[in-house]
Amino acid sequence: MKLAVVGGGSTYTPELIDGFARLRDTLPVSELVLIDPAAERLELIGGLARRIFARQGHPGRITTTSDLDAGVEGADAVLIQLRVGGQAARLQDETWPLECGCVGQETTGAGGLAKALRTVPVVLDIAERVRRASPDAWIIDFTNPVGIVTRALLRAGHKAVGLCNVAIGFQRKFAALLDLAPADIHLDHVGLNHLTWELGVRRGGPEGEDLLPRLLADHADAIAGDLHLPRAVLDRLGVVPSYYLRYFYAHDEVVRELGSKPSRAAEVAAMERELLALYGDPALDEKPALLAKRGGAFYSEAAVDLAASLLGDGGPGVQVVNTRNNGTLPFLPDDAVVEVQARVDRSGPVPLAAPRLDPLYAGLVAHVTAYEDLALDAAVRGGRERVFTALLAHPLVGQFDRAEALTDRLLAHNKEHLAWL
């Protein structure tokens, strides 16, 4: 089995490598290609990756290349985890929206739109090249904003699934709180990427006992602390929102916080410099503890499980993925991309029946889905007016003057990345 990782020079990659090494019985990778134009970073990551495989006795071969076409040729699956513009672009995404009184964040709001505009054309080009080199390969997208990028891939006819680590993070957290094995926890996880709610926490499977009331009664303080939301929010909702819902439920408070401290992008850039220095140590043959602070917890396990279900012979697996709606949430178009539990096998994901979303959540999901449709149109076709329209439609913007000011700033900060400017 050959896998290729586009963006293999990412500081995330050792997390992925560690998962491939530990879970080799689940996903027997014989060849792994790390692809990245940043030759120096790729050399560091590739060296560490080989040492991790060697330490854990993995027989697979790891190669590195800057040649995308050669790297994906013959691949069974291609994982995409790139960041167009690097941390410098992320820093801009987190900064200029604050000038207009809006959340500065890399996956939602105006910053999220900027990232979508930069990313979608690049990912679509990569996908076309994958289709030419390996027409049967699955594309697993971990590149944010996952929902919009996955929708772009599916609309263009690619064999693609979007993946996020929010659900597996909740699964592991809840299992620990309930003193259960993660495999015994099934989440009623419903919504869009970075806009989801845990409507149930079931023991054993979709029809199992709902442990959410007990979880909230016994552990609401701890969960609310992780979400940086008041416990009263969980008590009143009776469900667990994704931590990204804080940008909606406490928008003004978050804007004040972000304006008073260093950006997350600055923190991550400093962390990446330290990680790269560690990766260059020829004695290092495991992922360093610092990597856990970088983000992406349990990404490797989620990626291994998904790839194993798409490529393996062990029968279907059930996993939270980003995939075409196809009636799963009946108030959304069929071609919308939702983040829900799905049964996954070689033919791809098929969403399970999802619990009904209360209007409190369904209204926001429908609103953001409409924004994502406009954002994808702007990313594919370009044009200032399309950018403005997408911003005006976003529930975190929604005001004419603010959308105008944000459009000006977005375009000014992204000239080098938008071919149509």
Side-chain angles (χ1 to χ4, degrees):
M1 181 184 297
K2 176 180 177 179
L3 300 186
V5 180
V6 179
S10 167
T11 54
Y12 271 133
T13 300
E15 166 72 26
L16 188 62
I17 299 299
D18 178 73
F20 287 155
R22 288 186 294 103
L23 303 171
R24 57 184 175 273
D25 291 339
T26 302
L27 187 69
V29 178
S30 57
E31 181 180 0
L32 179 64
V33 184
L34 306 181
I35 306 167
D36 204 292
E40 186 175 347
R41 286 174 65 120
L42 191 58
E43 182 178 356
L44 288 176
I45 304 297
L48 175 57
R50 295 184 191 97
R51 296 193 297 272
I52 291 174
F53 264 33
R55 176 188 174 118
Q56 300 199 32
H58 195 295
R61 182 168 66 102
I62 295 177
T63 60
T64 61
T65 182
S66 59
D67 186 333
L68 175 69
D69 299 301
V72 301
E73 186 173 2
D76 296 288
V78 177
L79 286 75
I80 302 180
Q81 56 171 27
L82 54 84
R83 181 184 296 278
V84 178
Q87 293 299 330
R90 176 179 180 172
L91 178 60
Q92 296 294 337
D93 293 345
E94 294 180 356
T95 303
W96 52 263
L98 297 174
E99 298 170 3
C100 301
C102 291
V103 162
Q105 211 278 332
E106 66 161 340
T107 65
T108 192
L113 176 61
K115 187 168 190 183
L117 295 176
R118 294 192 303 268
T119 304
V120 166
V122 174
V123 171
L124 287 177
D125 177 66
I126 290 168
E128 286 298 330
R129 293 163 71 175
V130 170
R131 180 150 53 191
R132 290 197 297 269
S134 301
D136 294 326
W138 278 100
I139 294 175
I140 299 174
D141 177 64
F142 195 68
T143 297
N144 282 318
V146 167
I148 296 173
V149 173
T150 303
R151 192 171 185 182
L153 288 166
L154 292 174
R155 183 176 289 182
H158 297 289
K159 292 175 60 177
V161 186
L163 182 63
C164 181
N165 69 324
V166 167
I168 194 172
F170 274 134
Q171 182 200 43
R172 300 303 172 88
K173 174 71 173 179
F174 297 163
L177 292 173
L178 294 166
D179 196 25
L180 294 171
D184 292 333
I185 295 294
H186 175 91
L187 300 177
D188 290 341
H189 179 100
V190 184
L192 310 177
N193 180 240
H194 290 183
L195 196 82
T196 52
W197 296 263
E198 309 309 325
L199 305 183
V201 178
R202 301 189 178 276
R203 187 199 299 265
E207 306 302 323
E209 175 192 4
D210 186 7
L211 304 177
L212 180 58
R214 171 182 148 195
L215 184 72
L216 290 176
D218 295 345
H219 303 288
D221 286 334
I223 296 169
D226 287 344
L227 300 175
H228 300 287
L229 286 170
R231 173 177 175 155
V233 174
L234 302 189
D235 291 339
R236 296 181 73 173
L237 295 180
V239 302
V240 179
S242 158
Y243 44 83
Y244 287 93
L245 265 298
R246 185 169 185 254
Y247 299 120
F248 296 83
Y249 293 162
H251 176 272
D252 294 351
E253 178 184 350
V254 172
V255 169
R256 288 192 294 271
E257 285 180 8
L258 294 175
S260 65
K261 64 180 184 180
S263 71
R264 174 63 177 165
E267 294 175 0
V268 170
M271 200 179 304
E272 285 200 336
R273 289 190 291 271
E274 188 174 350
L275 283 169
L276 290 170
L278 291 172
Y279 295 168
D281 180 356
L284 183 69
D285 57 4
E286 59 184 344
K287 65 177 183 179
L290 178 62
L291 186 56
K293 299 180 180 180
R294 171 65 180 81
F298 309 117
Y299 160 40
S300 60
E301 285 90 341
V304 167
D305 287 347
L306 179 54
S309 295
L310 291 170
L311 303 175
D313 296 318
V318 174
Q319 184 173 1
V320 172
V321 297
N322 286 262
T323 191
R324 188 177 281 110
N325 179 44
N326 283 345
T328 307
L329 300 184
F331 57 90
L332 295 183
D334 282 346
D335 68 345
V337 165
V338 294
E339 185 171 291
V340 294
Q341 293 278 7
R343 189 171 300 278
V344 185
D345 60 19
R346 284 180 171 271
S347 62
V350 177
L352 303 182
R356 176 184 176 274
L357 267 181
D358 185 278
L360 176 62
Y361 317 123
L364 185 54
V365 167
H367 193 161
V368 174
T369 298
Y371 151 75
E372 289 187 347
D373 190 52
L374 294 168
L376 179 54
D377 187 44
V380 171
R381 297 203 289 163
R384 186 189 189 283
E385 192 64 21
R386 293 188 181 93
V387 173
F388 166 79
T389 301
L391 285 167
L392 186 62
H394 200 294
L396 295 181
V397 180
Q399 298 179 51
F400 186 90
D401 290 346
R402 184 170 284 179
E404 284 280 16
L406 288 167
T407 299
D408 290 339
R409 285 167 171 77
L410 187 157
L411 298 181
H413 286 290
N414 288 275
K415 286 181 179 179
E416 66 180 294
H417 300 295
L418 303 180
W420 48 269
L421 276 179

